[in-house]
Amino acid sequence: MLWAEERTSTVWPYLYTPSAKTRDDLHGKAEARRVETVMEGRLVWGSIHETIGTLAAINFFRDRGGTVCETGLLALEASTRRYELKRMYPRAKGYIDSLGLLGASPDGIVRFHNSDKVAVLEVKSHSPFVRNRGNRQGTFIAGTQSLPKSQISAPYLIQLHMHMLCQGPNCRDAFLFQTSVGGGCNVFHVERNENLVEGMLCSLGKFYT
């Protein structure tokens, strides 16, 4: 998909329409998105272009004996009982009863052929938009280089572990696909770190109390 500008104002807000190739291809039926800030534009971009990263994941795992499956909300209570959490994470035992309802929504579940192995999938599509620092301040420009991230940021690492936790104790792996407009895709494999999960549960318990 591409972004087609609906009007030519030089200040926020903007109105953008996602299209397959050109706006004419959709016969004027594309849904316009009102974008108030650069950050909001990046979030909308990531949501729309997430399908590209998902397709890359499907092709990637198909050649490696895996299948990407659809998923929805993973409720922690459906995969792991509270008493099991206390046994698995004794440092967090005093906080687990105070936790509210927890869940996660990965972009897919990867199942491997001839194996019980299951992994969670997260896709990030990085927007090329940056704030214009030139004469037309208040507008945005598409950066000349839009490369996927070369490492996993701390918030993403936490997110991946929450995905694994909510998928269940048997989920030991997560894959992060970070895509960009002109720089391809970087794939990261993260193995479950129980010390990190335990620390997350402690922090969440403190938050709820």
Side-chain angles (χ1 to χ4, degrees):
M1 289 186 174
L2 304 174
W3 283 97
E5 189 172 352
E6 285 287 334
R7 60 191 179 86
T8 56
S9 79
T10 57
V11 295
W12 298 102
Y14 287 100
L15 201 64
Y16 296 98
T17 302
S19 61
K21 291 184 179 178
T22 67
R23 198 179 313 157
D24 294 337
D25 291 338
L26 297 182
H27 306 290
K29 295 181 180 180
E31 178 186 356
R33 302 290 185 94
R34 184 180 177 87
V35 179
E36 301 285 348
T37 66
V38 170
M39 180 56 69
E40 187 178 350
R42 290 173 179 169
L43 292 173
V44 173
W45 172 280
S47 176
I48 291 175
H49 290 260
E50 188 176 275
T51 53
I52 298 173
T54 303
L55 179 59
I58 291 172
N59 293 330
F60 178 87
F61 288 110
R62 181 188 59 192
D63 297 333
R64 292 165 175 80
T67 300
V68 177
C69 306
E70 288 185 297
T71 187
L73 176 65
L74 304 177
L76 177 60
E77 287 72 16
S79 66
T80 313
R81 303 295 185 184
R82 295 293 172 106
Y83 73 86
E84 293 176 308
L85 289 175
K86 292 178 182 178
R87 175 178 54 81
M88 295 166 61
Y89 307 107
R91 264 199 316 125
K93 184 175 180 179
Y95 297 107
I96 288 173
D97 286 334
S98 63
L99 293 175
L101 296 176
L102 296 178
S105 298
D107 294 315
I109 299 295
V110 184
R111 301 190 182 278
F112 293 88
H113 308 160
N114 303 318
S115 171
D116 293 333
K117 182 178 178 179
V118 61
V120 291
L121 170 68
E122 181 64 28
V123 175
K124 302 293 184 185
S125 180
H126 295 281
S127 165
F129 302 147
V130 295
R131 190 177 300 279
N132 191 346
R133 303 296 183 183
N135 295 329
R136 299 180 65 194
Q137 293 190 9
T139 65
F140 83 92
I141 58 175
T144 55
Q145 290 186 341
S146 177
L147 300 177
K149 302 296 183 181
S150 59
Q151 59 185 6
I152 302 178
S153 64
Y156 291 172
L157 192 61
I158 298 296
Q159 182 183 20
L160 292 173
H161 275 80
M162 182 59 72
H163 288 343
M164 287 186 277
L165 175 64
C166 292
Q167 174 62 25
N170 293 331
C171 182
R172 314 303 301 176
D173 301 271
F175 290 90
L176 174 64
F177 279 64
Q178 300 207 86
T179 66
S180 67
V181 177
C185 176
N186 283 342
V187 182
F188 298 90
H189 174 212
V190 175
E191 295 182 346
R192 183 162 171 163
N193 183 322
E194 297 291 23
N195 289 329
L196 177 55
V197 174
E198 191 168 47
M200 287 165 48
L201 291 173
C202 290
S203 297
L204 283 169
K206 293 176 183 178
F207 174 80
Y208 277 104
T209 56

